[in-house]
Amino acid sequence: MQTIMRHTDWLESLLAERTRTFVDEFGSFYAWLEGSYGGDTLLLWMSNSKVEEVVPQLPKRFKGRIVLGLDVSEDHMVPFARALHWANPRRALVVCSGEGIGIAYPGRKEVAEGEWVPWDDPREARQLEVALRPEFSYYEPRAYAPWEAPAPAPLPTTLGPRVGAVGWEQGIPTYGLGLVGLDKNLEALLRVWRMH
């Protein structure tokens, strides 16, 4: 069993003073950043350990809405699927290490702790029980489906997030976005998506 911890309470309090915020049943924190009129909603999903690097790189001006989603899990698909429900985005970006935009994931499953093998039969994957509170836990099936999508902008490409298939299955274009050069790459994507 895995227990989830939070360590960004100070930043969450600061965001809560300035915008609408929410914490869901999985402990994921959301902040709705409102831009000017006329754009879509974008979910910017990240591990809460990355938020201090991401916030300074966010655009000062944009159209529509950027929903910051702070994930307290280790890139689990169950909380990400719930984030898609709460944010109801037109598109989603999952912040990853590296540079560029993640446009594909080959599919992997964990059959024993730390042992990852290529995707085939997801029923054989390990089930991880995650305890959020004494009265609430969930099971994370450690099988992440393959997905691939064309690059939405002429940016360097890299491996996408393992949870990306969750978004694509719901009709939500989902990509990875590397921390290196995040500000410039996010701005390029917002221009393509007419949110800049």
Side-chain angles (χ1 to χ4, degrees), residues 91 151-155 186-196:
R91 294 174 188 85
L155 298 171
L186 179 57
E187 189 174 308
L189 290 169
L190 293 179
R191 254 191 247 104
V192 167
W193 294 332
R194 298 182 181 190
M195 292 181 67
H196 194 269

Side-chain angles (χ1 to χ4, degrees), residues 49-119:
S49 64
K50 291 184 171 84
V51 70
E52 292 177 37
E53 294 176 74
V54 171
V55 168
Q57 296 189 65
L58 293 176
K60 305 296 184 245
R61 293 181 9 226
F62 57 91
K63 293 180 185 175
R65 175 180 297 132
I66 296 176
V67 179
L68 293 182
L70 307 187
D71 177 19
V72 294
S73 79
E74 297 177 8
D75 197 20
H76 292 174
M77 74 176 143
V78 174
F80 181 65
R82 196 64 173 152
L84 295 174
H85 166 78
W86 289 121
N88 192 25
R90 171 68 184 92
R91 294 174 188 85
L93 292 171
V94 179
V95 177
C96 308
S97 57
E99 180 179 9
I101 184 163
I103 60 168
Y105 182 76
R108 295 275 187 269
K109 66 181 179 183
E110 187 179 35
V111 292
E113 188 171 349
E115 183 184 350
W116 290 88
V117 298
W119 170 270

Side-chain angles (χ1 to χ4, degrees), residues 9-191:
D9 291 339
W10 69 271
L11 182 58
E12 293 172 13
S13 295
L14 189 65
L15 286 167
E17 291 174 8
R18 291 167 168 75
T19 188
R20 182 169 63 108
T21 62
F22 171 69
V23 177
D24 72 12
E25 65 271 34
F26 293 97
S28 303
F29 175 87
Y30 304 87
W32 279 259
L33 308 179
E34 301 290 341
S36 61
Y37 180 77
D40 292 323
T41 298
L42 171 70
L43 172 62
L44 190 59
W45 183 249
M46 69 199 79
S47 163
N48 67 351
S49 64
K50 291 184 171 84
V51 70
E52 292 177 37
E53 294 176 74
V54 171
V55 168
Q57 296 189 65
L58 293 176
K60 305 296 184 245
R61 293 181 9 226
F62 57 91
K63 293 180 185 175
R65 175 180 297 132
I66 296 176
V67 179
L68 293 182
L70 307 187
D71 177 19
V72 294
S73 79
E74 297 177 8
D75 197 20
H76 292 174
M77 74 176 143
V78 174
F80 181 65
R82 196 64 173 152
L84 295 174
H85 166 78
W86 289 121
N88 192 25
R90 171 68 184 92
R91 294 174 188 85
L93 292 171
V94 179
V95 177
C96 308
S97 57
E99 180 179 9
I101 184 163
I103 60 168
Y105 182 76
R108 295 275 187 269
K109 66 181 179 183
E110 187 179 35
V111 292
E113 188 171 349
E115 183 184 350
W116 290 88
V117 298
W119 170 270
D120 56 9
D121 186 350
R123 295 171 299 180
E124 298 169 354
R126 180 170 86 105
Q127 296 283 322
L128 176 66
E129 183 181 5
V130 182
L132 298 176
R133 299 176 294 283
E135 72 281 2
F136 184 81
S137 64
Y138 68 92
Y139 284 93
E140 171 74 4
R142 304 290 279 169
Y144 303 93
W147 64 273
E148 186 173 358
L155 298 171
T157 60
T158 185
L159 187 66
R162 65 185 181 194
V163 298
V166 176
W168 287 102
E169 287 167 4
Q170 295 183 34
I172 299 168
T174 302
Y175 301 93
L177 183 62
L179 268 173
V180 177
L182 183 141
D183 54 347
K184 292 183 179 80
N185 292 336
L186 179 57
E187 189 174 308
L189 290 169
L190 293 179
R191 254 191 247 104

